[in-house]
Amino acid sequence: MRVIVYGSANLDTSVWVEAFPRPGETIHAHRSSSAPGGKGLNQAVAAARMGAEAVIVASIGDDARGQAVRLALAAEPGLDLSRLRSEPHTPTGQALITVDADGENQIVLIAGANGSHSPAGVPGRLEFAEAGDVLVCQLEIPMAATAAALAYGRSRGLVTVLNAAPGAPVADLLGDVSLLVVNETEARIVLEDESAATADLAARIHSRHGVDVVVTLGAAGVLWHTAEGPGERPAFEIDPIDTTGAGDAFVGGLATFLAEGHPLAEAIDFAAAVGAMATTGDGAQGYEADRDVVRTRFGLEQPAGPASETKAYWEGRYRERGAMWSGRVNAALVQETGALTPGTALDLGCGEGADAIWLAEQGWHVTGVDISATALGRAEAEARRRGVADRITWQRADLAHWRPAATYDLVSACFLHSQLEFPRDEILRGAAAAVAPGGSFLIVGHVDFPPWAARDHGHDHEAGEKLHAFPSAAEAVTGLGLDGPDWEVLVAESRVRSATSPTGEVAELTDAVVLARRR
């Protein structure tokens, strides 16, 4: 998945002083420099340096400053400049940054071409985005354009990240935001409460606005609060040279890991390290680092990927035959979702893609997730053949280590079982948290292994029962908390159907079907 940054682009002039001048005093600088900047550029550059496929959607002028920005950015490998627009007869945005001896900064902004963004221009500038991409916005362009970009991203199934900086009230935007990122000052502006206690900022924003939120506290670390609860981590210890752009680097690192499907806590660890690294150079982009440098400098472990045993097992299963499943959509999915208004959908354990493709044919924008590259390759080929490839994003991930970073109008988990050890309940709880208000959560599961499954793959019935739980529909509702006040359970029942194994064996199977709507 890509990181798409929609926002500001400047030419920054940084001036280093021993102390910030008081009003009326002259700035006595001992050195200065100019370089590309703006929150949008800084975040896109950080994402590109950390290995993301990063696209910057921004405006610069057709002046010498704009040419300097474009030329400097061309040296950033992995940064897509095809959406960096030069506006005719318009000056490039500017920022005058004063940095004191402790690395702290003060900034004066001149909008220039950043002011040319308009709501009407959003679809044309973001039409290339695909469901599952991470869209990052800030507040250095007109607020109406930012609001339109977030709404457009939400409608297309993007993970929408709003860095509400510089601080401004953003309550009207948060309905289209997957994740809000603010510093301590900005958090109090969001809450409209200058006296709010630091420790309560994330929890209060989440409670009031219902949005997942990350609050950066500089040297005091990071707080966050999501539907799964609160979290915090300390800052990395470092002697800063210049703190300009550290928050932007944090956002770029965070977006990179979210685009790769890492859990939020893991993404925040990495983002905190990227933000700390950004303080080791002059200016917003003066640090020199890639992902390996950041990991080594701060002692970060390699992020968890698909477990080799699980990956090998499922690749082996899919490669055993030309097609492992029938290619037909699950009947329960058709029955329970056929009357829903299409929006964004997440198909967990999508396999060869039959359910995801059917949903796309009904008008949904679908993200299909599976651990097998072979299965996803077949799914993608079939989606192209049926003319819906532009409506589906395929993502390879081990669901045991992956959690949705966006919310969806429909989350479907049909026959999400494995003959290996598998944290199904934990995965389904994460899936439930990804259902948007008013959205639907469909779970269809076996009440026991099909007779051929245990026999064909070396698991006897007794061992299968010991290793795997097959809850009834009622047990699933209770175990996942769907009987609480946030949910309306529409269906919870057992259904008997006839099924045929890949080798032609016919049997009657009983399924547990649950459909719940988030209030």
Side-chain angles (χ1 to χ4, degrees), residues 196-210:
T198 300
D200 298 334
L201 291 172
R204 286 186 58 186
I205 290 174
H206 183 268
S207 175
R208 178 176 298 183
H209 296 291

Side-chain angles (χ1 to χ4, degrees), residues 97-411:
I97 306 169
T98 309
V99 185
D100 74 359
D102 294 323
E104 298 299 322
N105 64 78
Q106 294 180 346
I107 305 176
V108 177
L109 295 172
I110 303 170
N114 294 314
S116 66
H117 287 268
S118 69
V122 165
R125 301 194 73 169
L126 290 177
E127 47 79 23
F128 70 97
E130 298 177 348
D133 288 341
V134 175
L135 174 67
V136 180
C137 296
Q138 328 80 33
L139 303 180
E140 286 186 342
I141 64 173
M143 184 75 79
T146 297
L150 291 168
Y152 183 83
R154 174 77 175 83
S155 72
R156 294 287 296 271
L158 277 63
V159 179
T160 52
V161 178
L162 174 62
N163 177 211
V170 292
D172 292 343
L173 277 60
L174 297 182
D176 292 314
V177 173
S178 306
L179 182 66
L180 175 68
V181 183
V182 286
N183 65 22
E184 188 171 354
T185 300
E186 295 152 1
R188 292 192 173 97
I189 293 173
V190 172
L191 286 171
E192 299 179 349
D193 183 357
E194 294 183 2
S195 64
T198 300
D200 298 334
L201 291 172
R204 286 186 58 186
I205 290 174
H206 183 268
S207 175
R208 178 176 298 183
H209 296 291
V211 65
D212 290 351
V213 59
V214 175
V215 181
T216 60
L217 304 175
V222 186
L223 302 174
W224 67 90
H225 203 108
T226 72
E228 296 181 351
E232 61 180 294
R233 67 147 292 121
F236 290 99
E237 293 186 6
I238 199 162
D239 293 324
I241 294 174
D242 181 359
T243 59
T244 305
D248 298 334
F250 177 97
V251 173
L254 182 72
T256 298
F257 262 39
L258 293 179
E260 294 176 2
H262 297 285
L264 180 61
E266 197 172 283
I268 289 172
D269 282 349
F270 181 68
V274 178
M277 180 62 75
T279 70
T280 63
D282 288 342
Q285 299 171 22
Y287 61 100
E288 296 183 3
D290 58 20
R291 182 183 298 211
D292 287 339
V293 170
V294 170
R295 287 180 49 244
T296 301
R297 174 72 179 266
F298 297 104
L300 299 179
E301 295 182 359
Q302 183 72 29
S308 58
E309 180 186 3
T310 307
K311 177 181 176 182
Y313 172 79
W314 284 109
E315 283 297 335
R317 289 285 310 276
Y318 279 103
R319 289 174 181 173
E320 284 176 356
R321 52 181 67 93
M324 192 159 80
W325 310 115
S326 68
R328 296 188 296 273
V329 61
N330 280 302
L333 179 70
V334 176
Q335 181 174 341
E336 303 304 338
T337 69
L340 296 179
T341 300
T344 58
L346 174 65
D347 182 12
L348 294 173
C350 63
E352 292 161 330
D355 287 359
I357 291 169
W358 180 84
L359 286 168
E361 289 175 334
Q362 312 314 304
W364 294 83
H365 289 277
V366 187
T367 298
V369 184
D370 202 275
I371 195 172
S372 169
T374 298
L376 292 175
R378 293 173 185 170
E380 186 174 13
E382 181 65 9
R384 285 197 304 269
R385 188 185 72 80
R386 286 162 63 171
V388 292
D390 61 334
R391 288 184 169 273
I392 309 177
T393 297
W394 306 106
Q395 186 166 350
R396 187 184 186 191
D398 181 353
L399 293 177
H401 301 287
W402 179 88
R403 294 295 178 271
T407 57
Y408 299 85
D409 301 308
L410 170 65
V411 175

Side-chain angles (χ1 to χ4, degrees), residues 404-492:
T407 57
Y408 299 85
D409 301 308
L410 170 65
V411 175
S412 173
C414 291
F415 304 108
L416 190 63
H417 301 295
S418 174
Q419 293 192 352
L420 302 179
E421 192 167 356
F422 187 58
R424 183 173 184 266
D425 286 352
E426 181 182 336
I427 292 167
L428 291 178
R429 289 189 189 97
V435 179
S440 300
F441 186 25
L442 175 66
I443 308 168
V444 183
H446 298 301
V447 297
D448 197 354
F449 276 126
W452 52 80
R455 182 178 65 250
D456 291 350
H457 298 282
H459 292 267
D460 62 38
H461 185 84
E462 225 175 86
E465 282 188 336
K466 184 177 181 180
L467 184 58
H468 303 282
F470 292 98
S472 66
E475 289 169 339
V477 167
T478 302
L480 298 175
L482 302 180
D483 52 353
D486 294 337
W487 293 92
E488 178 186 6
V489 177
L490 305 176
V491 176

